[in-house]
C-alpha cells in the first residue's frame, strides 16, 4: 500500500494481512490483523509531516480488490451486506503484562480467525516467523523464541514457519 494510492480502498477477498506502522526510529507497531472481507480505508492523510509509514504483510496468499473512492458508494451499496469492516486490533494483546500472556492471546486470536480442527488439534496455516510474532506481541525475538521452545518441549504446540499446530487449547491457556 503506497501513499500514491490514498484515494483507494482495498477489500481483502481472501487471506491474511498484518498491518504495521514503521517509524523512522526503527520502531514497529503492529496495529491490525486483517482477513477476508475486511476493508482497508485510506490511511495516508498528510504525507509531508509523517515520521512513519504503513506496511501490509501477507501471512498467507492474499487477494486484494482495489476500489477508487469515487466508485465506493455504488460498490458498497451492492456488497455491504456481505462485507464488513471488522478487524482484530492488536492493542488488546499489548494490554497483557508479560510476553507469555501476549503470545498466548496471539495464538488464541489466530486460532479463532484462521484455525482449522484436524485430529482434535488446531492448525493455523499461516507464514508466521518469530520476528512477526515479536512484532505482534511487542516483545523481542529472543523472548518469543524461548517461549515457543518451552511450548514445543511441553508438546503444547508444534511450530514451523508455515504452520502452527496447537495440540491442546487447555494446556496453552494454562501455560
Amino acid at each position: 500500500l503506497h501513499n500514491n494510492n490514498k484515494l483507494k480502498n482495498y477489500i481483502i477477498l481472501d487471506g491474511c494481512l498484518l498491518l504495521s506502522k514503521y517509524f523512522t526510529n526503527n520502531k514497529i507497531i503492529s496495529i491490525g490483523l486483517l482477513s477476508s472481507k475486511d476493508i482497508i480505508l485510506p490511511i495516508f492523510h498528510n504525507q509531508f509531516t509523517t515520521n512513519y509509514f504503513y506496511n501490509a504483510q501477507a501471512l498467507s496468499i492474499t487477494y486484494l480488490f482495489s476500489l477508487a473512492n469515487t466508485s465506493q458508494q455504488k460498490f458498497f451499496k451492492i456488497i455491504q451486506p456481505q462485507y464488513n469492516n471488522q478487524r482484530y486490533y492488536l492493542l488488546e494483546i499489548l494490554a497483557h503484562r508479560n510476553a507469555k500472556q501476549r503470545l498466548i492471546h496471539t495464538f488464541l486470536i489466530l486460532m479463532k480467525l484462521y484455525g482449522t480442527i484436524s485430529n482434535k488439534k488446531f492448525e493455523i496455516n499461516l507464514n508466521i516467523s518469530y520476528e512477526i510474532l515479536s512484532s505482534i506481541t511487542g516483545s523481542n525475538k529472543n523472548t518469543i523464541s524461548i517461549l515457543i521452545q518451552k511450548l514445543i518441549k511441553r508438546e503444547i504446540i508444534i511450530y514451523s514457519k508455515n504452520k502452527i499446530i496447537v495440540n491442546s487449547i487447555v494446556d496453552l491457556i494454562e501455560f
Side-chain angles (χ1 to χ4, degrees):
L1 305 177
H2 190 271
N3 63 1
N4 290 342
N5 297 329
K6 63 183 173 183
L7 297 178
K8 291 185 180 178
N9 294 314
Y10 298 90
I11 298 172
I12 300 173
L13 300 175
D14 191 30
C16 174
L17 286 178
L18 175 64
L19 188 62
S20 300
K21 206 176 205 180
Y22 283 69
F23 292 90
T24 54
N25 65 358
N26 294 326
K27 298 284 184 187
I28 302 168
I29 298 175
S30 296
I31 58 173
L33 189 61
L34 301 109
S35 60
S36 300
K37 301 182 183 180
D38 281 338
I39 300 168
I40 304 172
L41 301 172
I43 51 180
F44 307 103
H45 302 293
N46 188 352
Q47 61 183 343
F48 300 109
T49 60
T50 58
N51 62 345
Y52 60 87
F53 64 92
Y54 289 96
N55 182 46
Q57 182 175 7
L59 301 180
S60 66
I61 295 174
T62 304
Y63 298 96
L64 297 176
F65 179 74
S66 174
L67 183 67
N69 272 347
T70 54
S71 308
Q72 83 177 21
Q73 199 169 33
K74 294 175 195 171
F75 180 78
F76 288 143
K77 193 178 279 187
I78 298 167
I79 301 298
Q80 190 76 32
Q82 297 174 16
Y83 282 83
N84 57 50
N85 195 15
Q86 226 175 17
R87 299 178 191 182
Y88 273 83
Y89 287 101
L90 301 180
L91 293 177
E92 65 185 40
I93 291 172
L94 298 176
H96 293 289
R97 254 186 193 197
N98 62 44
K100 182 170 82 169
Q101 293 301 316
R102 291 193 299 261
L103 182 63
I104 291 168
H105 194 136
T106 301
F107 284 148
L108 292 173
I109 287 175
L110 293 173
M111 286 167 46
K112 180 178 179 183
L113 290 175
Y114 308 104
T116 57
I117 298 175
S118 176
N119 297 328
K120 299 181 183 180
K121 299 176 183 181
F122 277 95
E123 291 186 12
I124 304 166
N125 292 308
L126 295 175
N127 187 6
I128 302 181
S129 65
Y130 288 1
E131 188 174 343
I132 291 171
L133 285 171
S134 67
S135 171
I136 292 172
T137 60
S139 305
N140 66 46
K141 188 176 167 183
N142 291 339
T143 302
I144 295 299
S145 175
I146 290 167
L147 290 170
I148 288 177
Q149 292 308 315
K150 286 180 182 179
L151 288 166
I152 292 169
K153 187 175 182 179
R154 293 184 186 180
E155 297 181 349
I156 297 171
I157 68 166
I158 299 168
Y159 180 88
S160 71
K161 192 174 178 184
N162 297 324
K163 182 189 286 189
I164 300 167
I165 299 172
V166 178
N167 292 322
S168 169
I169 192 169
V170 173
D171 290 342
L172 178 66
I173 292 170
E174 291 177 352
F175 173 67

